[in-house]
Amino acid sequence: MGQTILEVSHLGKKFGDNVVLRDINISVCSGDVTSIIGSSGSGKSTLLRCVNLLETPTSGQILYYERDIMDKGFDVPAYRAKVGMVFQSFNLFSNMSVLENCVVGQVKVLKRHRKEAVEKARFYLEKVGMGAFINAKPRQISGGQKQRVAIARALAMEPEVLLFDEPTSALDPQMVGEVLGVMRTLAGEGMTMIVVTHEMAFARDVSSHVVFMKDGVICEEGTPEQIFGSPEKQETRDFLSRFFDR
Amino acid sequence: MSLPDNFFGRIIFLLERYGGSLLRGAGSTILIAIVSTAIGCLIGFIVGVIQTIPVRQSDNIFKKIILKIINFILYIYVEVFRGTPMMVQAMFIYYGSATVFNIHMGKWFAAFFIVSINTGAYMAETVRGGILSIDPGQTEGAMAIGMNHFQTMTSVILPQALRNIMPQIGNNLIINIKDTCVLSAISIVELFFATKSVAGTYYTYFEANSIAMAMYLIMTVFFSRLLRWMEGKMDGSDSFDMATTDTLAHTSGMLSYRGKKKNNGRLR
Ligand SMILES: Nc1ncnc2c1ncn2[C@@H]1O[C@H](COP(=O)(O)OP(=O)(O)O)[C@@H](O)[C@H]1O
Ligand SMILES: [Mg+2]
């Protein structure tokens, strides 16, 4: 097991009076693939968004290499560049070409020279199998292709951790495979990832750690063997049976 | 030379004699309209961007108060200039500044100033709407790779907002071409002013205004087509070139893929 990168402790999030997350504790080490499963509305997206500071947690701490990311002096843009995020709805910049999508962050945030940024962008687009599409606009490619570009965009920042929020949920079934394939490759190469997913086979085969969330709390967690093989909680069994009995 | 007794004869007579002054008037009209629309858009973008600065609970109180005050001033600006006729504004500002503040602005400066600031008030609302209409996912995508508010705005949101509000910018330009005629109230010699002088000299109100009608129409139609063309340019082509799979080659390949394009009349 590698060095601890992220340490979420006693994290809580309220929207007004609505408590969405309570006492969440997760630690992520280098090379971990942590899958977060749970039914819709259980707070999975909110948790990822807190980790990326797209939402501000209302209690608890998130430590990145032992530094509190909510500290006043903490460099949030630099942190976000290091903790990439892939969204369910892709969120590619629709005014830019595929290549430019992967270049802009490197140039603006990391201050890389354009030439270097273009090379890296091409490299990562090639890696996700989108090298031929650099001139396309997002509206001209399919959902699965968009998501692969979104992954390349995140990779081009050369992050320490990648967060995936249901990356295949908006895709037609025949496109799910191509995106999961890219994610499997990344996991195999040792990329540290936190993946919110409903793809149970992926969670079972690829994860090093599985977290089952229910109603804003971590209900059960463990290795894929524990969670999928012999879950202890009735809630976990109920949730999983809905996926595997079909 | 006396006035011909048929309509077309009189039109030709007026054109021969006063064509130059009418064209100069039209030139002033276009100049004021284009420059003021451009400045107005700039004002609109600045105001619209300020009005959409997100305020978070965690922001410090100083920033919140400053923003409140600025937004209140901008709100007043927008309401006053949208809510009063431009002709009255022209008189109010041009003569008012002279009598009350003893500022004698040149009438040309006043002309550009009034039309710009008026357009700005309209564009502010348009830009604000344009920014708010962009999918929040675009902002999140930008934030998630570490872009700050300013970078997100200039690289991602504003280019898309600009494209979306191009039809409104075109509208404003056309309105300005027509509405500069109110500047004749402060003796700016634009097309309408020139027309009035020509008409008055020979009592040819119908003929002179027929010419003016045609000239205004030519200008507005021309610029509306020009803006349409610019919109098309901004959208880029329907197709894109497949890059060659050889990563070492930096040129594009031969294959051309036709993508689907939204909101374009030319469906294939
Ligand atoms: N911006 C928000 N304001 C208020 N409530 C929210 C907001 N975002 C999410 N929620 C609520 O938080 C709960 C968890 O949402 P979410 O994290 O999206 O769940 P999941 O991703 O597991 O489906 C839901 O009840 C949702 O309504
Ligand atoms: Mg979700």
Side-chain angles (χ1 to χ4, degrees), chain A residues 11-15 20-21 45-58 62 69-70 80 85, chain B residues 56 140 143:
Chain A
L11 183 78
K13 175 68 185 173
K14 286 193 253 181
F15 289 106
V20 173
L21 293 177
S45 297
T46 307
L47 173 56
L48 276 200
R49 294 166 59 83
C50 283
V51 171
N52 199 268
L53 286 180
L54 288 173
E55 303 286 357
T56 313
T58 38
I62 299 174
I69 67 171
M70 281 171 282
R80 287 198 179 123
M85 178 128 174
Chain B
R56 264 166 290 134
E140 295 198 338
M143 303 247 285

Side-chain angles (χ1 to χ4, degrees), chain A residues 49 52 54 77 80 87 91-96 105 108-109 111 122 126 131-136 139-140 157, chain B residues 137-138 140-147 151 155-156 159-160 235 237-243 247 250 252 260:
Chain A
R49 294 166 59 83
N52 199 268
L54 288 173
R80 287 198 179 123
F87 300 87
N91 297 350
L92 290 183
F93 307 132
S94 47
N95 58 319
M96 298 178 198
K108 303 262 168 185
V109 180
K111 313 290 177 202
R122 282 172 170 275
E126 206 65 56
F133 291 84
I134 52 172
N135 298 319
R139 63 174 143 83
Q140 295 168 321
M157 304 298 283
Chain B
Q138 296 284 309
E140 295 198 338
M143 303 247 285
I145 53 172
M147 287 165 83
Q151 292 166 336
S155 307
V156 179
Q160 294 181 43
D235 287 344
S237 78
D238 285 2
S239 57
F240 61 93
D241 292 330
M242 294 290 278
T247 43
H250 275 224
S252 308
K260 42 186 183 307

